[in-house]
Amino acid sequence: MQFYLAPMQEVTGWVYRNVYSAMFGNIHKYFTPFIVPTQKKILKTRERKEVAPENNRGLLVVPQIMTNHAEQFIDTCHMLMELGYHEVNLNLGCPAATVVTKARGSGFLADTRRLDRFFEDIFLALEAEHSTLGVSVKTRIGLEFPEEFEDILKIYNQYPLSEIIIHPRLQKDYYGNHPNLEVFSDALSQSVHPVCYNGDIFTKADYEGFIKRFPSVDRIMLGRGVIGNPGLVREIVTGQQISKEELQEYHDRLYAGYRDALGNEKDVLFKMKEVWYYLGSNFLNAEKELKKIRKAGRPEDYSVAVKRVFEDCEFSK
């Protein structure tokens, strides 16, 4: 089984990837939070740091691009190839309203004719350049109705995608309801490309239940499950659960990494609070202390609140 780390905005950036890899090292591919191309044909400072080779040594990283303009997509591909990248991923899954209203992310799935032309244009351009760049997609199954994915998949099947990563929810679901495994099952049998599954694998039991139903799947993308439990892949593979001491070391390394990379304490605390949104699930009856983490406005207050969680709250593993 190949395990991928999902591209989660504000969470799975280069600092996170390096800390995770140093402690656990069991992810096959790391996907970056999305890059949004512009007409200026440059990468923003944050995006440059995300894909800088010196920030991703020893990691197999796939930059994710969010756009509905073929020319801007190709321009971004050129910049990434110059940095040594051999694969990019197109975001067709983000459900955020601010993205969807611009016909990006999962919003692009609403216009299948335009989506078809987009793929035709980018693959004609890559073919004309004799490019060997791999292009994959991370996709939802539609906006409002699961039946939409039949036509969407037909488009994917027409083009030489390296793989499709399917999060079998609709845009309107956001992260509610359950992944539609019936649609995923149909896609698995009908896709001409390798298929990766993404969605609601939070525990070893979730993984085992999924694999029992879909034994042919050989790649899974994990997001919220790994952010909440960084030892999840190891537990799936070996049965060894993460300890409270490991989780604290992981937290401390991540905190130090953000302080070194960002400098601004306000930005550091924002990043750590995003992570704690998921880490908090590892502790029982900890809401009072977790609330103090969320409200911390100074590093001193944050450190005290974190110490209380690790020392006073019951670890749930």
Side-chain angles (χ1 to χ4, degrees), residues 70-211:
E71 183 178 349
Q72 292 180 8
F73 182 88
I74 291 296
D75 288 339
T76 305
C77 288
H78 289 158
M79 289 185 279
L80 293 169
M81 285 188 285
E82 288 177 2
L83 293 172
Y85 287 96
H86 303 288
E87 179 184 349
V88 298
N89 180 263
L90 175 66
N91 183 318
L92 293 173
C94 181
T98 52
V99 168
V100 172
T101 54
K102 296 177 182 178
R104 297 173 180 164
S106 59
F108 200 0
L109 301 175
D111 190 343
T112 51
R113 289 186 179 181
R114 184 178 179 186
L115 183 65
D116 191 5
R117 289 197 301 273
F118 174 90
F119 281 120
E120 181 179 15
D121 290 344
I122 65 170
F123 282 110
L124 283 174
L126 291 173
E127 183 180 5
E129 298 170 2
H130 304 288
S131 174
T132 59
L133 181 73
V135 178
S136 61
V137 298
K138 185 176 186 298
T139 183
R140 291 215 170 197
I141 58 173
L143 273 74
E144 297 187 17
F145 306 104
E147 293 78 14
E148 295 171 35
F149 198 58
E150 182 177 354
D151 290 335
I152 294 168
L153 184 60
K154 287 179 181 178
I155 294 173
Y156 297 158
N157 280 344
Q158 293 177 40
Y159 298 98
L161 298 167
S162 57
E163 65 182 345
I164 58 173
I165 303 164
I166 301 176
H167 184 131
R169 279 187 168 96
L170 298 166
Q171 181 275 330
K172 69 176 184 180
D173 292 333
Y174 282 77
Y175 293 96
N177 297 323
H178 295 288
N180 191 322
L181 296 183
E182 288 72 27
V183 170
F184 179 79
S185 179
D186 291 341
L188 192 61
S189 63
Q190 296 170 16
S191 174
V192 301
H193 306 301
V195 173
C196 174
Y197 175 77
N198 173 227
D200 288 19
I201 303 293
F202 298 109
T203 65
K204 182 179 180 181
D206 292 337
Y207 170 83
E208 290 175 342
F210 176 82
I211 290 302

Side-chain angles (χ1 to χ4, degrees), residues 144-317:
E144 297 187 17
F145 306 104
E147 293 78 14
E148 295 171 35
F149 198 58
E150 182 177 354
D151 290 335
I152 294 168
L153 184 60
K154 287 179 181 178
I155 294 173
Y156 297 158
N157 280 344
Q158 293 177 40
Y159 298 98
L161 298 167
S162 57
E163 65 182 345
I164 58 173
I165 303 164
I166 301 176
H167 184 131
R169 279 187 168 96
L170 298 166
Q171 181 275 330
K172 69 176 184 180
D173 292 333
Y174 282 77
Y175 293 96
N177 297 323
H178 295 288
N180 191 322
L181 296 183
E182 288 72 27
V183 170
F184 179 79
S185 179
D186 291 341
L188 192 61
S189 63
Q190 296 170 16
S191 174
V192 301
H193 306 301
V195 173
C196 174
Y197 175 77
N198 173 227
D200 288 19
I201 303 293
F202 298 109
T203 65
K204 182 179 180 181
D206 292 337
Y207 170 83
E208 290 175 342
F210 176 82
I211 290 302
K212 183 177 181 180
R213 180 168 177 178
F214 299 104
S216 66
V217 171
D218 63 357
R219 58 198 76 187
I220 288 181
M221 175 176 277
L222 302 171
R224 293 171 293 160
V226 163
I227 310 306
N229 174 12
L232 178 59
V233 175
R234 185 184 67 190
E235 183 180 348
I236 288 172
V237 175
T238 71
Q240 180 186 352
Q241 294 184 327
I242 194 170
S243 67
K244 182 165 71 172
E245 292 73 23
E246 279 184 299
L247 188 64
Q248 187 164 7
E249 180 185 355
Y250 159 80
H251 166 274
D252 293 347
R253 288 193 189 191
L254 190 59
Y255 187 33
Y258 281 135
R259 296 186 85 172
D260 288 343
L262 301 177
N264 186 302
E265 293 292 354
K266 183 178 179 181
D267 293 339
V268 172
L269 291 182
F270 173 79
K271 289 284 190 183
M272 293 308 301
K273 289 176 184 181
E274 287 289 310
V275 174
W276 269 106
Y277 179 82
Y278 303 96
L279 287 187
S281 62
N282 292 289
F283 299 90
L284 302 176
N285 303 315
E287 182 53 36
K288 180 179 178 181
E289 301 304 333
L290 291 172
K291 185 176 181 180
K292 291 179 181 178
I293 290 176
R294 293 194 296 270
K295 288 185 171 293
R298 301 182 306 161
E300 298 85 354
D301 299 332
Y302 174 79
S303 295
V304 170
V306 168
K307 183 179 179 181
R308 291 274 175 82
V309 170
F310 280 107
E311 290 185 354
D312 301 340
C313 299
E314 182 181 354
F315 192 59
S316 64
K317 300 302 179 188

